[in-house]
Amino acid sequence: MNNTKLPLRIPSKLHFVPVDSLSKKLFLEEERRRREILNRVFPYKLASGSAMSSPAEFYKSLPPISKAYGTLCLLTTIACQLGLCHPADIALMHELVFSRFQVWRLITNFFFLGKFSINFGIRLLMIVRYGVQLEKGPFERRTADFLWMMIFGALSLLALSAIPMLWSPFLGISLVFMLLYIWSREFPNAQINLYGLVTLKAFYLPWAMLALDVIFGSPLLPDLLGIIAGHLYYFLTVLHPLSGGKNILKTPMWVHKLVASWGIGAPTNSRAQADRTAGSAFRGRSYRLNG
């Protein structure tokens, strides 16, 4: 057996990647991705040493439709709280709409979420969170589609409220709950911490909120109307086209023209306009339990 020892060659330069340095790289990359997601959904101006921008900059960064609806709800509540108007003057009263032609009630009832209370704050935060996430995510550069979703939801709720047993004087809470339902279908696997008590998937969030309303003694009808309107929109724009059907709820051209006249949203000649005719209302899909 040859016991000749081979010379040990040591390279002139050793290239080692320290474990700490590699971990730091991975951490920084993950932090960068997290900030990109946060900036896309809630576009704060994250600066070194500051968590977010001023309230004025945050408000300015909100997408147009969610910002307008949330602002109108807040101003309506302030006006009622200061006695400038009474909730009965803006409530949905069908007999007053048809007999005295007070047609503004068909619109103003959607802007009252109740007087200042914890429930009012929760509903307003739902607009800021779930409405903004929809408008900045699946409906990005598709402002007309998002506005049409809100209009269709309002029309559906008005039609449902025409049934005596489903009548509600204010449909704003139902419209907000519709946003929550559509958000839960668009982000079904998002993890939600409910008041620090339990963590669940976003798909179950509307039903958890419904259960909490039962516990707290809040009326269930507004939430149920919102779920019905949200599921109707989601079925017609996502589930039905996915099953081979045709999208029968495309955004009308007058909504596109309205958004263009306001100077908000994507231009009509952009790629977003072409995507709107692709067959589905937004980039969602059905959700299979335990999938």
Side-chain angles (χ1 to χ4, degrees):
M1 186 174 181
N2 191 0
N3 293 327
T4 306
K5 293 184 179 180
L6 297 175
L8 181 62
R9 296 183 179 180
I10 301 178
S12 57
K13 293 184 179 180
L14 295 177
H15 299 280
F16 291 104
V17 180
V19 175
D20 291 341
S21 177
L22 181 60
S23 301
K24 185 177 180 181
K25 270 188 173 181
L26 294 175
F27 173 78
L28 292 176
E29 179 66 19
E30 185 65 25
E31 183 70 12
R32 183 185 65 81
R33 292 179 181 176
R34 185 182 68 83
R35 285 171 178 258
E36 284 181 356
I37 295 174
L38 285 176
N39 288 334
R40 185 176 178 182
V41 176
F42 293 108
Y44 306 141
K45 295 180 180 178
L46 295 177
S48 57
S50 63
M52 65 178 181
S53 62
S54 66
E57 291 176 337
F58 167 68
Y59 177 79
K60 187 178 179 181
S61 69
L62 295 176
I65 306 302
S66 299
K67 177 167 63 176
Y69 181 61
T71 301
L72 287 172
C73 291
L74 179 61
L75 292 178
T76 302
T77 298
I78 292 176
C80 292
Q81 199 75 26
L82 296 177
L84 300 178
C85 69
H86 194 275
D89 298 331
I90 59 176
L92 179 62
M93 302 288 185
H94 292 100
E95 59 275 9
L96 296 179
V97 171
F98 295 107
S99 63
R100 299 188 181 181
F101 302 103
Q102 297 180 1
V103 293
W104 65 81
R105 295 177 180 272
L106 297 175
I107 300 176
T108 55
N109 75 92
F110 289 102
F111 301 141
F112 186 70
L113 302 178
K115 293 187 177 181
F116 285 117
S117 62
I118 295 179
N119 286 335
F120 168 79
I122 291 175
R123 304 305 179 187
L124 198 61
L125 288 175
M126 287 168 67
I127 298 174
V128 174
R129 178 170 186 180
Y130 305 120
V132 168
Q133 285 191 16
L134 282 174
E135 198 170 352
K136 296 290 288 184
F139 287 91
E140 186 180 14
R141 294 181 59 81
R142 299 171 59 223
T143 306
D145 292 343
F146 187 81
L147 177 59
W148 173 241
M149 180 195 72
M150 298 285 288
I151 294 174
F152 176 80
L155 294 176
S156 301
L157 291 171
L158 287 174
L160 290 171
S161 67
I163 303 174
M165 62 180 301
L166 298 180
W167 173 79
S168 179
F170 300 103
L171 297 174
I173 295 176
S174 302
L175 190 60
V176 173
F177 215 83
M178 186 199 78
L179 288 176
L180 170 64
Y181 181 84
I182 295 176
W183 177 87
S184 71
R185 298 303 300 264
E186 184 65 12
F187 302 94
N189 293 313
Q191 296 295 320
I192 300 297
N193 190 296
L194 196 61
Y195 301 128
L197 300 176
V198 62
T199 300
L200 70 162
K201 288 186 176 182
F203 182 81
Y204 304 103
L205 182 59
W207 310 105
M209 296 293 291
L210 193 68
L212 286 177
D213 283 342
V214 172
I215 295 174
F216 294 145
S218 300
L220 299 181
L221 182 60
D223 296 353
L224 289 174
L225 291 177
I227 290 177
I228 294 172
H231 186 74
L232 179 62
Y233 178 84
Y234 193 84
F235 174 80
L236 293 176
T237 57
V238 177
L239 300 182
H240 183 59
L242 282 177
S243 64
K246 191 176 182 181
N247 182 12
I248 59 177
L249 201 63
K250 291 183 180 180
T251 304
M253 186 54 63
W254 64 268
V255 180
H256 293 299
K257 292 180 179 179
L258 184 63
V259 169
S261 66
W262 289 345
I264 59 177
T268 55
N269 60 350
S270 65
R271 287 187 61 186
Q273 173 70 14
D275 291 342
R276 281 193 282 264
T277 61
S280 62
F282 56 103
R283 299 184 295 271
R285 61 179 180 177
S286 58
Y287 179 69
R288 180 177 298 174
L289 296 178
N290 300 323

